[in-house]
Amino acid sequence: MCEYRQRICRQHTAAMPICGGFTPEEPVTPEEEKICREVKSDIEEKAGTNFDVYIPLSFASQIAEGTNYLAKVYVGVDKCVHVMIFQALPCNGGELTVTGVQHPKTASEPLIPFDD
């Protein structure tokens, strides 16, 4: 395990409800907002549409062999998209990959991990 993963695992352990589980849903931070914006075109491709409005709202994360992000992005008219994003560890390149998209969702629907 690379040093980065060990440090991140120690930081997230207190926030995780169970070992290896997702953190509770919380408002996006600048870091998660940046990640969502970097993969916007991949999300649009998987959703089969272009989003004129694209505002990341909330996220949950899970440490694995990298970080899994589950994000809720507002795309207009009380519609959201739920997105699963994997970020490889920095020692493995740190690449972002959109692994799943659920669209349309409402703004009130909670983030629940899913397989696409």
Side-chain angles (χ1 to χ4, degrees), residues 53 74-80 105-106:
V53 176
Y74 179 75
V75 293
V77 193
D78 195 40
K79 297 284 187 248
C80 287
K105 293 284 195 174
T106 65

Side-chain angles (χ1 to χ4, degrees), residues 32-77:
E32 283 83 22
E33 183 168 353
K34 181 177 182 264
I35 288 169
C36 288
R37 295 206 180 276
E38 284 182 28
V39 296
K40 180 183 179 197
S41 62
D42 297 332
I43 293 168
E44 290 174 328
E45 183 178 326
K46 286 186 179 280
T49 189
N50 291 324
F51 301 119
D52 294 328
V53 176
Y54 188 85
I55 304 168
L57 298 175
S58 60
F59 80 100
S61 62
Q62 174 192 44
I63 302 298
E65 291 298 318
T67 303
N68 290 309
Y69 292 99
L70 176 56
K72 180 186 296 184
V73 181
Y74 179 75
V75 293
V77 193

Side-chain angles (χ1 to χ4, degrees), residues 9-31:
C9 284
R10 283 192 299 273
Q11 290 173 352
H12 279 75
T13 301
M16 288 188 183
I18 58 171
C19 183
F22 275 85
T23 61
E25 183 176 348
E26 55 191 76
V28 294
T29 65
E31 178 184 348

Side-chain angles (χ1 to χ4, degrees), residues 65-107:
E65 291 298 318
T67 303
N68 290 309
Y69 292 99
L70 176 56
K72 180 186 296 184
V73 181
Y74 179 75
V75 293
V77 193
D78 195 40
K79 297 284 187 248
C80 287
V81 61
H82 290 189
V83 186
M84 297 284 293
I85 304 165
F86 175 74
Q87 184 174 32
L89 293 169
C91 55
N92 293 328
E95 182 178 345
L96 295 169
T97 306
V98 175
T99 60
V101 172
Q102 292 182 334
H103 177 263
K105 293 284 195 174
T106 65

